[in-house]
Amino acid sequence: MFAGTIVISERGPSGSSQPVLMPPALEGWARTLELSQLPGEVAGAARQYLVRWHDLSPAVQHEMGVRIATQVAAYVTPPPPPGVPAHAYLSAVLAERRRRDQARYPQAPQSHGVRPQAVPYPQPGPYGQPYAQPHAPQVSPPQAAPPSSSPPPPPAPQPRTTPGGFAPPQ
């Protein structure tokens, strides 16, 4: 108001009602996790990533997933089994955290009446895709690409593992 500007915020659908489900291949491992040191802000960032995963390009899915999973892994032990993709690791950690909260506080409302269900995606590997429901896609008008005099460079090859130890996309 003092600068002569007004901020208008639009509220969109919240991702908080979309449960993150446990990847079945990680359920036994997740029950052994030490989660007490995981800050709520880091868990919230992981949840937002999983909810938005379907809207991201594969390269951004991988890069953001590894970055957030590495942050989570700094607070959670033991480390995931070898070859676990970042999104599956984050799904397992958040689903186990929710399971323990629900066991601790059984009278608390559980996800606003939403019952967790597996999302019917093709399963590329034993860990599948993130277990958060996709949003309805946002439709934006097409934009013309700027003229280019040279072809785009080929994509760089992906390493087999990442610095955080999380598997690259399959």
Side-chain angles (χ1 to χ4, degrees):
M1 295 292 281
F2 293 111
T5 61
I6 299 175
V7 175
I8 300 173
S9 75
E10 287 185 36
R11 292 182 186 231
S14 165
S16 64
S17 65
Q18 297 179 356
V20 175
L21 300 182
M22 177 66 70
L26 295 176
E27 192 168 0
W29 166 80
R31 290 189 181 263
T32 68
L33 293 177
E34 169 52 50
L35 299 171
S36 64
Q37 300 301 312
L38 181 62
E41 298 82 28
V42 175
R47 170 173 277 290
Q48 286 302 313
Y49 162 75
L50 291 173
V51 167
R52 294 184 55 224
W53 189 87
H54 301 282
D55 299 332
L56 305 172
S57 72
V60 174
Q61 288 172 348
H62 178 68
E63 185 271 323
M64 280 185 72
V66 169
R67 184 169 31 92
I68 294 170
T70 300
Q71 289 176 344
V72 169
Y75 299 102
V76 174
T77 58
V84 173
H87 66 79
Y89 169 73
L90 295 171
S91 293
V93 168
L94 295 182
E96 179 62 17
R97 188 173 190 240
R98 185 188 74 236
R99 185 193 69 77
R100 291 179 189 182
D101 285 347
Q102 289 174 348
R104 194 174 305 125
Y105 308 107
Q107 290 80 17
Q110 297 180 10
S111 300
H112 308 290
V114 176
R115 296 191 64 210
Q117 297 179 4
V119 180
Y121 292 114
Q123 301 295 315
Y127 305 109
Q129 294 184 5
Y131 287 80
Q133 305 239 353
H135 322 278
Q138 298 290 331
V139 179
S140 58
Q143 297 181 3
S148 174
S149 60
S150 63
Q158 295 255 341
R160 293 299 300 153
T161 60
T162 60
F166 297 100
Q170 299 179 358

